[in-house]
Amino acid sequence: MRISSSQIFDAGNRAIARHSADVVEAQKQISSGQKYSRASDGALAAGLSIQVTVDKAQFDMFKVNQAHLDTQYSVAETQVKTIVSMVDRFRVLVQQANSDTVSPENRALIAQELTAIKTSVVAMARASGVNGNQIFEVGSTSAAQVAVAPSIFLRQGLSESDIMGAVGGSSVETILNDIAGSVGNGLRPSEIQSSAINDVAAKLTSAETAIGVLRNQLDAAKESADTHSRVHKYTREICSGLRAATLQSMVHTCINIVKIVENIVDALTHGLR
């Protein structure tokens, strides 16, 4: 009877000794808040943590790019709206200059305003932002693209061609200049010129719509990036043991210790009977 009880007791002691390392490790995890202190503790988790750290840097870059495009789009939108308003005024003056009741003197006054509007439109289409770069990219029909979310790239804005590019074979600047010159010479705008200025207005309306679409796409990209960021953040916390992993490890260790003690007590109780 004594030998049997001693063996059981010794077995319990050995089991406690085996699990003592788990207890120490659990205490380290609780005090540090980290499940893994070395890469060898969890090679897969360590690898995931490195990847997630890289991903975090990428999401930080997305935030910077999103803020940059927000500014770009706001400036471009304001610029386009102003140009659209100017061209609308230009069209009204063209209609006035085309009237039979307008005298040559009044037509000359109209021509002065047409020329002033043309100059302003060209200046605004080629204006630079606070960073010194042109608001509408020069010499390109497609502005450069920027990464704003995983696998999502958006144009930096509109190109100068979107604003001043060809309409029916002539640039917007040429059309405005020709009309202002004709009226300045005392002539009524031709039907071709009247049609051309309407086409210019339609082109600018399309540009205004395009910048609005880009804004909507940016908002959607922000939501997509935020969702991906939250998923990666949760993964990072799991890998570093800041959430369920540490708690689960601690609970399992405690349960194992309790079971060992219960087995010892139960064995000794039966052995002493």
Side-chain angles (χ1 to χ4, degrees):
M1 183 68 67
R2 290 178 183 175
I3 295 174
S4 177
S5 298
S6 176
Q7 288 175 338
I8 294 173
F9 185 78
D10 289 342
N13 278 336
R14 287 195 297 272
I16 291 176
R18 284 198 304 271
H19 286 279
S20 62
D22 292 340
V23 174
V24 173
E25 185 64 24
Q27 288 174 338
K28 286 172 56 180
Q29 292 171 0
I30 293 170
S31 62
S32 66
Q34 300 289 328
K35 181 176 182 181
Y36 305 113
S37 58
R38 301 180 303 275
S40 58
D41 292 340
L44 177 59
L48 289 174
S49 295
I50 293 173
Q51 180 60 49
V52 169
T53 300
V54 173
D55 289 338
K56 182 180 182 300
Q58 186 181 50
F59 286 119
D60 290 342
M61 179 196 71
F62 289 151
K63 287 291 185 183
V64 172
N65 290 347
Q66 290 166 8
H68 169 68
L69 290 190
D70 251 336
T71 302
Q72 288 285 99
Y73 292 170
S74 293
V75 173
E77 189 173 39
T78 300
Q79 208 80 346
V80 171
K81 286 181 181 295
T82 302
I83 293 174
V84 167
S85 178
M86 288 180 174
V87 170
D88 284 343
R89 174 60 182 168
F90 196 99
R91 292 170 68 196
V92 171
L93 292 173
V94 168
Q95 291 174 352
Q96 291 178 1
N98 206 22
S99 174
D100 294 331
T101 60
V102 177
S103 66
E105 292 77 12
N106 287 337
R107 208 169 259 125
L109 292 175
I110 291 173
Q112 290 179 8
E113 187 175 352
L114 289 173
T115 300
I117 291 175
K118 183 266 298 181
T119 302
S120 296
V121 167
V122 172
M124 294 203 71
R126 295 173 181 166
S128 298
V130 293
N131 58 2
N133 297 326
Q134 257 194 232
I135 296 171
F136 304 115
E137 189 174 334
V138 187
S140 174
T141 57
S142 179
Q145 296 195 332
V146 176
V148 291
S151 303
I152 299 178
F153 297 81
L154 293 179
R155 295 175 62 183
Q156 290 200 52
L158 302 180
S159 67
E160 185 183 336
S161 178
D162 292 325
I163 307 299
M164 302 297 289
V167 178
S170 299
S171 69
V172 170
E173 183 177 2
T174 298
I175 292 171
L176 299 181
N177 197 54
D178 287 348
I179 294 174
S182 295
V183 176
N185 291 328
L187 302 176
R188 294 171 56 179
S190 66
E191 290 185 7
I192 293 177
Q193 289 175 329
S194 297
S195 176
I197 190 59
N198 289 334
D199 291 340
V200 168
K203 178 182 180 68
L204 292 173
T205 298
S206 296
E208 190 174 15
T209 301
I211 198 69
V213 170
L214 285 173
R215 271 198 164 284
N216 292 337
Q217 290 175 336
L218 179 58
D219 289 340
K222 286 180 181 179
E223 292 183 8
S224 175
D226 287 344
T227 299
H228 279 81
S229 180
R230 285 193 295 271
V231 170
H232 281 267
K233 181 174 182 291
Y234 180 79
T235 303
R236 184 169 65 254
E237 291 175 347
I238 291 297
C239 289
S240 60
L242 292 178
R243 193 170 280 179
T246 298
L247 180 59
Q248 186 178 20
S249 174
M250 181 183 68
V251 170
H252 282 326
T253 300
C254 291
I255 290 174
N256 287 334
I257 293 173
V258 170
K259 286 182 177 178
I260 292 168
V261 174
E262 287 178 346
N263 289 337
I264 292 173
V265 173
D266 184 66
L268 291 175
T269 302
H270 279 82
L272 294 174
R273 285 179 180 175

